[in-house]
């Protein structure tokens, strides 16, 4: 009896607790959990600026000597003196080697003696002709004798002229015993030593002199660039800048000399030639360099860091940060990327703020937090940020 009473009391208590919970729950409205606000994404930004931007055409070229002279002998003889050292800078007319001059000096002495002999005979013949003319005027000399003597004088005059011509020729041969440089430049490896006999037919000659100041550069550009090159070349001389193969060192500035008169059909390229002062000798024959042909300089053109430009299915775009610190995707047209700076012709205006690092986490409308100074330099926002190659 007591057990049944205890069970009834427990059941009644459970009913009363359940009713109380139902009452209080029915009297309150359900609570909805608030959506979390996404955190702002840290990025590095930069403002779009206007400045003068050079417009280049780029090609790869080979440096060639302005002039190359293989110093050869025009006569045969023994080398008795070498007057230069390999790699020496020489001027036009500098002595490089001396061939034994004695055989040619002896020949000149012989020819000079022949000329002197003929001159003495000519003087005697002219004296005789003068006397015959005086005798002929008085009737003591026949006209035939006078004519014969006149002819002899003319013959001796011709002989003297021939002697002098031979002497002049021998002097020229003697001058060939001095091997000199025809151009200013730098000497290469010597091909013959003192005591050896040099011949005009020697293929390598004495030495090769290469003129490198000024110096030339041959480079190629696609044939599609030819019309714009011709258009700007018609306005004046174009500048060419030579850079090292890694584009880090500016080697020299020169001028465009010519555009070749034909297009290479196999490669579809046109060859151009430029000349450089090369006062510092940074350009060397056979060197491969990167050439930049400057077409024009655009005034107040809009530029951004090359890392700001991204590539999508519809082309190039950047993220622009608005005044509310949200990022929006903006399609742009990039005219060129040079020295890490992108030239923008459409899509941006001066003063726009664009994201240059940290874009990989952004979407349209993302909230951003701009980093500046040390924080921007130390932030690891992107696993691989590479400025466009210049």
């Amino acid at each position: 009896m007591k057990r049944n009473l205890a069970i009834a009391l427990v059941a009644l208590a459970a009913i009363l607790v359940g009713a109380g919970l139902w009452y209080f729950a029915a009297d309150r409205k359900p609570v909805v959990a608030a959506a979390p606000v996404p955190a702002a994404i840290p990025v590095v930004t930069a403002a779009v600026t206007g400045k003068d931007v050079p417009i280049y055409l780029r090609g790869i070229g080979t440096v060639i000597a302005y002039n190359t002279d293989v110093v050869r002998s025009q006569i045969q003889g023994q080398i008795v003196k070498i007057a230069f050292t390999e790699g020496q800078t020489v001027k036009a007319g500098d002595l490089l080697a001396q061939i034994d001059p004695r055989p040619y000096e002896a020949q000149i002495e012989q020819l000079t003696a022949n000329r002197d002999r003929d001159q003495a005979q000519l003087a005697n013949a002219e004296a005789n002709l003068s006397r015959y003319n005086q005798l002929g005027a008085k009737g003591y000399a026949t006209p035939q004798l006078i004519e014969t003597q006149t002819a002899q004088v003319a013959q001796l005059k011709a002989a003297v002229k021939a002697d002098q011509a031979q002497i002049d020729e021998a002097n020229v041969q003697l001058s060939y015993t001095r091997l000199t440089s025809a151009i200013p430049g730098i000497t290469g490896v010597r091909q013959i030593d003192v005591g050896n006999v040099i011949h005009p037919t020697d293929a390598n000659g004495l030495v090769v002199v290469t003129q490198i100041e000024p110096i030339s550069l041959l480079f190629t550009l696609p044939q599609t660039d030819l019309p714009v090159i011709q258009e700007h070349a018609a306005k004046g001389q174009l500048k060419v800048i030579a850079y090292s193969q890694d584009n880090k060192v500016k080697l020299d500035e020169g001028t465009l000399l010519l555009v070749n008169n034909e297009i290479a059909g196999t490669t579809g390229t046109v060859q151009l030639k430029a000349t450089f002062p090369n006062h510092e000798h940074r350009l060397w024959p056979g060197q491969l360099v990167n050439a930049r042909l400057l077409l024009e300089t655009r005034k107040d053109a809009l530029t951004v860091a090359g890392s700001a430009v991204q590539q999508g299915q519809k082309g190039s775009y950047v993220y622009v940060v608005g005044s509310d610190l949200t990022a929006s995707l903006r399609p742009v047209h990039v005219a060129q990327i040079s020295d890490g700076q992108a030239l923008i012709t459409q899509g941006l205006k001066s003063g726009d703020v664009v994201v240059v690092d940290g874009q990989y986490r952004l979407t349209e409308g993302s909230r951003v937090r701009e980093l500046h100074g040390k924080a921007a330099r130390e932030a690891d926002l992107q696993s691989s940020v590479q400025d466009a190659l210049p």
Side-chain angles (χ1 to χ4, degrees), residues 305-308 337 339-341 356 385-390:
S307 60
I337 298 180
D339 297 329
Q341 292 293 310
V356 298
V385 174
Q386 296 181 353
D387 288 346
L389 293 177

Side-chain angles (χ1 to χ4, degrees), residues 317-322 326-331 362-366:
Y317 67 90
V318 299
Y319 279 104
V320 179
V321 178
T326 60
S328 61
L329 188 147
R330 183 86 59 85
L362 296 180
T363 58
E364 179 69 24
S366 296

Side-chain angles (χ1 to χ4, degrees), residues 122 149-159:
L122 173 61
Q149 191 64 31
T150 302
Q152 186 178 8
V153 169
Q155 182 181 359
L156 290 171
K157 284 183 177 180

